[in-house]
Amino acid sequence: MFDHQDIFAALNGKLPLPEKIECVHGLLKDRFSFVDRIAVAIYEGKTDLLRTFVHSGEDTPLSLYSAKFSNSASLQEILKVGRPRVINDLDVFGNAPATHTRSIAAHQYKSSYTMPMHLNGDFFGFLFFNSFQKNVFDESALHYLDVIGHLLSLLVIHEMSSTRSLVASVKTATSMAHQRDFETGSHLDRMSNYARLIASEVANKYSLDDELVEYIFLFSPLHDIGKIGIPDSILLKPGKLTEEEFETMKAHTLKGGEIIDTMLSNLGLDDLPHAGILRNIALHHHEAVNGSGYHGLTEEEIPIEAKIVAVADVFDALTSSRPYKEAWSNDRAFEMLQSMAGSKFDSDCVAALIKRREEVEAIQRQFNEDRLG
């Protein structure tokens, strides 16, 4: 009665998404040995960026890569036609200028099957099956890959939807609790995109993959959720805080950790992937590498995600107008960060942000404050 073994039973467990992708790929290769790679790219409409997210296998032609979706005519055609795309000879893209196309060719992939992912009718990203062989994606294989593709899409969408639901819930709660003109949506958009730039730049040194960089980006806007629990008399005080008031303000990091745990429990997201990144950002984004921060953590004790958010948040605060200050120029803000690199801020994170100055300025243009914030 119980002799049958469900080959996908592992997907019911608590495996991280990359391991689930690897599991499905392994089972798929038992039937279609020519499928050499599975990869997922996710789309963010606000910035029109298509970004690498997870993949199977050790070797990947693309890592920590993003590109404007509007610049990829071949991928846009998939959405226009409304069907997946089969290319059984990738040599047809031999002279294509796009970085991702050249990279696929350089790794000797010869054919591909690309499926768009949708959530409630909205475009979510792409799922790619690649092979080192030509002319292998025939109708018999595609019929099976359609089923596997939709299964993988559901796995990705389920994980990302849970994360985005949490982020949206926290943002809503924060907005309802405190209508602050100095924490606008544009501020959060800018600093989270700065955080992603920094994370991708230091990724190799700190062993951050595409998935971790994405979660740092998603969670960074929630760094100050603990301020919900700080009285407005302190939070909105225009002058310098007293020593006692500052101690109360410092408590927002601990309150943030408590709020995160409560919301994860209430939303049934206790097993949310990488929830530790979210906690670390909320708890430790005011630490300093020399130990002079809120709770005295030093260089090695501070998680890299907290170091990244600290630089991103302070840079945007410096270069933004506030009721009590004018916006600094980028040059002045960079100079200040450099002067405190290695003491207050992580040197690698400061150098990473400055190195990506052109992209920083593009973010500032895209998410510029209007008079209403």
Side-chain angles (χ1 to χ4, degrees):
M1 183 179 294
F2 300 104
D3 293 336
H4 175 68
Q5 175 64 45
D6 176 9
I7 61 172
F8 292 109
L11 302 184
N12 294 326
K14 297 180 179 180
L15 291 176
L17 181 62
E19 292 185 29
K20 289 182 178 180
I21 300 290
E22 289 283 2
C23 175
V24 173
H25 188 190
L27 294 169
L28 186 59
K29 283 186 73 71
D30 289 340
R31 183 171 184 131
F32 300 107
S33 60
F34 58 80
V35 178
D36 295 301
R37 173 181 179 256
I38 299 175
V40 175
I42 58 177
Y43 177 69
E44 184 193 16
K46 187 176 287 188
T47 55
D48 188 42
L49 286 178
L50 190 66
R51 301 190 300 274
T52 50
F53 183 49
V54 291
H55 65 89
S56 61
E58 292 296 324
D59 183 42
T60 180
L62 291 168
S63 181
L64 304 169
Y65 176 76
S66 65
K68 290 285 187 180
F69 180 52
S70 56
N71 292 338
S72 178
S74 63
L75 291 176
Q76 283 188 310
E77 188 69 18
I78 295 174
L79 295 191
K80 291 178 182 177
V81 174
R83 293 185 179 182
R85 182 186 68 186
V86 180
I87 301 178
N88 269 314
D89 185 354
L90 286 172
D91 287 345
V92 299
F93 288 140
N95 296 320
T99 300
H100 58 274
T101 304
R102 295 198 308 270
S103 183
I104 289 288
H107 279 70
Q108 302 301 308
Y109 287 105
K110 299 300 183 182
S111 59
S112 72
Y113 180 46
T114 305
M115 291 183 64
M117 299 187 296
H118 290 86
L119 174 62
N120 297 326
D122 294 327
F123 175 52
F124 199 87
F126 287 110
L127 182 66
F128 303 93
F129 298 92
N130 295 114
S131 176
F132 292 124
Q133 303 175 47
K134 295 182 179 181
N135 303 311
V136 289
F137 291 106
D138 57 24
E139 283 302 317
S140 62
L142 293 173
H143 180 76
Y144 193 82
L145 288 178
D146 283 343
V147 177
I148 297 299
H150 283 286
L151 169 65
L152 292 173
S153 294
L154 289 173
L155 288 175
V156 174
I157 288 172
H158 172 72
E159 176 164 322
M160 296 304 294
S161 295
S162 296
T163 300
R164 290 178 178 181
S165 294
L166 173 65
V167 172
S169 297
V170 175
K171 284 183 177 179
T172 300
T174 303
S175 176
M176 291 173 63
H178 292 289
Q179 291 292 328
R180 305 181 184 87
D181 60 359
F182 58 89
E183 283 204 357
T184 65
S186 294
H187 160 67
L188 297 178
D189 283 327
R190 287 192 301 270
M191 66 82 57
S192 61
N193 277 280
Y194 298 154
R196 182 165 58 196
L197 290 182
I198 297 169
S200 62
E201 191 65 33
V202 303
N204 289 336
K205 180 172 182 177
Y206 292 96
S207 301
L208 304 177
D209 59 18
D210 284 290
E211 188 185 23
L212 293 178
V213 170
E214 182 66 18
Y215 277 99
I216 291 172
F217 163 71
L218 288 171
F219 290 147
S220 57
L222 310 185
H223 61 291
D224 273 340
I225 63 170
K227 286 184 177 179
I228 291 175
I230 303 299
D232 283 352
S233 60
I234 295 175
L235 193 64
L236 304 180
K237 184 177 178 179
K240 183 177 180 181
L241 299 179
T242 66
E243 186 173 334
E244 183 179 357
E245 288 171 336
F246 185 60
E247 288 301 315
T248 300
M249 176 66 83
K250 285 166 59 176
H252 83 266
T253 56
L254 300 178
K255 291 180 184 294
E258 294 170 1
I259 291 170
I260 287 166
D261 288 336
T262 298
M263 295 196 74
L264 288 172
S265 177
N266 290 344
L267 293 170
L269 298 175
D270 300 274
D271 297 323
L272 184 77
H274 307 302
I277 291 177
L278 175 54
R279 291 189 186 93
N280 286 340
I281 286 173
L283 287 167
H284 304 309
H285 67 281
H286 280 295
E287 298 304 313
V289 295
N290 64 3
S292 64
Y294 275 18
H295 304 293
L297 298 188
T298 55
E299 176 75 53
E300 299 302 322
E301 298 171 314
I302 307 171
I304 183 57
E305 53 266 31
K307 295 176 179 178
I308 289 169
V309 169
V311 172
D313 187 40
V314 169
F315 175 75
D316 192 67
L318 292 173
T319 54
S320 301
S321 297
R322 295 290 188 263
Y324 51 85
K325 64 174 279 292
E326 294 294 323
W328 287 20
S329 68
N330 287 342
D331 285 334
R332 185 182 177 191
F334 284 146
E335 287 174 7
M336 195 284 283
L337 290 175
Q338 283 182 312
S339 71
M340 303 183 78
S343 56
K344 180 175 177 58
F345 302 111
D346 180 81
S347 298
D348 293 325
C349 293
V350 171
L353 185 69
I354 295 173
K355 181 179 179 181
R356 304 289 285 268
R357 177 169 185 152
E358 184 175 338
E359 291 159 277
V360 165
E361 292 174 349
I363 291 168
Q364 291 172 327
R365 289 191 297 271
Q366 180 170 7
F367 298 107
N368 189 29
E369 303 280 1
D370 59 29
R371 66 184 182 85
L372 297 177

